[in-house]
Amino acid sequence: MEQIREAILNGADSAAIAALPVPTHYRAAHLLASETAMFEGVPSEKKDPRQSIHVSDVPTPELAPDEVYVAVMASSINFNTVWSSIFEPVSTFGPMKRLSRDSDWMKRHDQPYQVIGSDGSGVVLKVGSAVRLWKPGDHVTIHCNYVDDQDNTAHNDSMLAANQRIWGYESNFGGLADLSVVKANQLMPKPAHLTWEEAAVNALCNSTSYRMLVSRNGAAMKQGDVVLIWGATGGIGAYATQYVLNGGGIPVCVVSNSDKAQILRDMGVEAIIDRKAAGYKFWKDEHTHDESEWRRLGSDVRDLVGEDPDIVFEHPGRSTFAASMYVAKRGGTIVTCAATSGFMMEFDNRHFWMRLKNLVGSHFANYQESWQANRLIAKGMIHPVISQTFALENVGEAAYQVHHNMHEGKLGVLCLSPEPGLGVTDPEFRAKVGEENLSRFRRS
Ligand code: NDP
């Protein structure tokens, strides 16, 4: 890998990169199938990714005709890194076993280990015999929609494909590693004005928020829409906030401390709710809702923007879902992609049907949506929300911080890139986009 790193850092051309030998082993953050029961009986919040994530060498898998090897320069932590490392809600070794039944090539995924990670930026090292549009030396970012396009259900909207999976979560050979094996249809051009780590943090969260808010498959936000965004400085929330501001909407952003509120003000958000300061208690106890608290949230939103939300960007799940359902405007849309606080959700159906609301389930993004979201990053219209960068050896610590909501925006991870700040190939455009926009989430 050292030879590969040197070649990339020295700007080797396509032919030189293509001539490099692919190593038989590579360094990777991985889980072990033998440890999936290690947290049995431990409460969720005590399950520690630092114990379950290992970083050491794993064997390099063979390359299928429609795949490429990517030398991963940087990657990022997603909440799915947390889910897989605490083996909740299920162990990801099950989905990989099922994937391995799809074809001879997919058998490679069924290993006693799983290399995790669903984001990456890097350089194409080698392409399979069926790959047409990419070549060694290309600078790329990787999106995580892992789909077999020979299946008829994968066409129209590939997120509806019967065999749709998330790379590095429901498949092996993910991005938190020095090397990855991905399908060619996961590749997108790396935005030239970004560093490796800035380019690595966007694809999963940015594309998810794009589908949820901008795409016709999601809430299809229009100018003037009021959008209530939970976790507005978190991974998906920080991109959602940018989409609402860019699209002429009116964001009402919920966060849990004043530092996060300040980041939002710097982005140009005016309506901000500090949920900790407000002290909402939507549940009286584990089984009983407090409807007066839904009304209090609704009245706080009205105080700020004078009307109810057209769209609620929902993902905390059980703790907030009933309130989200309640506060949405008559005819409004609640779009959800997750349930961080619990997936068995309840709401008062009367507020849903009598007020003719819509509930949209959303999951990641198809290739076109991911490409459009990446294009907006490349045009400097949406910015990476990286706050910190970790070494690959410290992936467990980074996942721990996300698990305990100790972060803002996204956490980047350096893989082959030896230090932060490398990989920019268009410094003029970077200057035009502005460091203040690119470093808004950075911790000093
Ligand atoms: P982050 O942890 O980065 O951000 C989530 C934010 O939600 C936090 O910053 C926090 O903000 C807020 N939050 C957490 N718990 C609660 C709660 N109980 N009530 C209200 N707000 C809460 O995670 P991501 O944004 O990356 O992901 C969020 C969820 O979405 C995860 O469950 C993840 O797995 C899922 N996801 C799903 C995707 C899909 O394709 N289906 C894609 C990406 C993510 P604060 O404390 O400031 O209020």
Side-chain angles (χ1 to χ4, degrees):
M1 291 308 309
E2 206 41 54
Q3 209 184 346
I4 292 170
R5 186 205 315 264
E6 283 307 307
I8 292 170
L9 294 177
N10 293 328
D13 64 15
S14 179
I17 298 275
L20 292 168
V22 175
T24 57
H25 289 72
Y26 65 101
R27 193 176 58 131
H30 59 273
L31 307 171
L32 296 174
S34 57
E35 292 184 349
T36 55
M38 72 191 291
F39 296 132
E40 255 174 30
V42 177
S44 250
E45 63 282 6
K46 294 260 165 63
K47 295 180 180 174
D48 190 339
R50 295 173 297 192
Q51 288 169 17
S52 54
I53 298 177
H54 306 274
V55 180
S56 61
D57 280 5
V58 298
T60 304
E62 239 186 295
L63 194 65
D66 62 345
E67 292 178 340
V68 309
Y69 287 126
V70 176
V72 184
M73 299 303 281
S75 180
S76 91
I77 304 297
N78 282 295
F79 215 96
N80 74 4
T81 321
V82 176
W83 295 128
S84 50
S85 65
I86 63 172
F87 309 108
E88 280 196 21
V90 290
S91 155
T92 43
F93 284 91
M96 281 191 303
K97 209 164 254 322
R98 286 195 289 282
L99 173 62
S100 74
R101 293 184 203 123
D102 275 10
S103 70
D104 279 350
W105 281 112
M106 291 305 128
K107 286 194 180 116
R108 293 167 303 166
H109 291 264
D110 185 16
Q111 299 289 343
Y113 61 88
Q114 180 188 20
V115 179
I116 53 175
S118 301
D119 265 323
S121 67
V123 176
V124 174
L125 273 184
K126 272 207 172 19
V127 302
S129 55
V131 175
R132 291 184 301 115
L133 301 176
W134 302 94
K135 60 179 189 321
D138 285 346
H139 288 196
V140 293
T141 60
I142 306 167
H143 77 75
C144 63
N145 184 11
Y146 190 86
V147 76
D148 171 4
D149 57 14
Q150 290 178 40
D151 189 317
N152 75 83
T153 58
H155 294 265
N156 191 9
D157 176 5
S158 60
M159 286 308 295
L160 298 183
N163 55 26
Q164 190 282 325
R165 291 180 171 91
I166 297 295
W167 162 69
Y169 178 69
E170 296 165 294
S171 81
N172 214 325
F173 320 128
L176 286 163
D178 289 340
L179 186 126
S180 190
V181 182
V182 303
K183 286 181 182 283
N185 65 15
Q186 290 177 252
L187 299 179
M188 306 186 292
K190 173 190 167 289
H193 65 297
L194 300 184
T195 64
W196 293 115
E197 62 279 8
E198 288 166 348
V201 299
N202 307 305
L204 190 147
C205 284
N206 180 37
S207 313
T208 300
S209 299
Y210 180 93
R211 181 175 173 113
M212 287 176 79
L213 285 180
V214 182
S215 169
R216 272 172 290 183
N217 292 316
M221 188 197 80
K222 60 184 190 325
Q223 292 183 38
D225 278 353
V226 173
V227 185
L228 178 69
I229 304 169
W230 291 104
T233 58
I236 51 176
Y239 294 100
T241 301
Q242 296 185 65
Y243 281 115
V244 178
L245 288 168
N246 273 6
I250 302 165
V252 180
C253 291
V254 187
V255 285
S256 62
N257 66 43
S258 54
D259 289 348
K260 294 180 180 185
Q262 188 55 49
I263 294 174
L264 292 168
R265 266 183 229 109
D266 293 345
M267 290 167 80
V269 177
E270 291 174 6
I272 300 166
I273 295 176
D274 182 333
R275 68 180 170 102
K276 281 273 161 62
Y280 302 119
K281 284 197 78 178
F282 301 128
W283 290 84
K284 286 183 188 156
D285 58 47
E286 212 182 309
H287 307 289
T288 325
H289 292 274
D290 187 345
E291 296 187 26
S292 68
E293 287 293 88
W294 308 345
R295 282 195 289 279
R296 188 156 73 89
L297 171 67
S299 112
D300 288 348
V301 173
R302 283 186 189 177
D303 285 349
L304 285 167
V305 294
E307 52 188 311
D308 296 329
D310 296 277
I311 299 170
V312 181
F313 184 87
E314 168 60 48
H315 53 92
R318 186 171 172 82
S319 62
T320 57
F321 195 76
S324 295
M325 269 291 186
Y326 175 80
V327 299
K329 186 177 280 179
R330 200 177 177 89
T333 300
I334 301 91
V335 57
T336 178
C337 74
T340 314
S341 65
F343 50 80
M344 291 306 281
M345 280 139 41
E346 288 171 18
F347 62 91
D348 185 336
N349 198 20
R350 291 168 299 177
H351 298 300
F352 182 55
W353 97 72
M354 290 298 287
R355 294 181 187 156
L356 300 100
K357 301 183 187 186
N358 306 287
L359 174 59
V360 177
S362 193
H363 185 38
F364 187 59
N366 62 36
Y367 198 7
Q368 179 64 201
E369 290 160 341
S370 303
W371 192 281
Q372 289 302 327
N374 187 60
R375 173 175 164 267
L376 290 168
I377 299 255
K379 288 192 161 300
M381 296 170 76
I382 295 286
H383 308 297
V385 295
I386 187 167
S387 58
Q388 293 180 75
T389 306
F390 290 76
L392 185 60
E393 282 74 17
N394 298 331
V395 161
E397 172 61 29
Y400 175 86
Q401 294 198 12
V402 172
H403 186 22
H404 292 280
N405 197 15
M406 295 159 69
H407 67 299
E408 291 99 31
K410 296 284 306 172
L411 302 186
V413 174
L414 293 181
C415 300
L416 279 176
S417 184
E419 57 187 274
L422 306 178
V424 177
T425 50
D426 191 344
E428 289 81 22
F429 186 58
R430 186 179 178 88
K432 194 170 164 204
V433 170
E435 288 298 334
E436 72 281 10
N437 288 317
L438 297 169
S439 61
R440 180 103 54 218
F441 280 73
R442 287 224 185 252
R443 281 194 187 166
S444 50

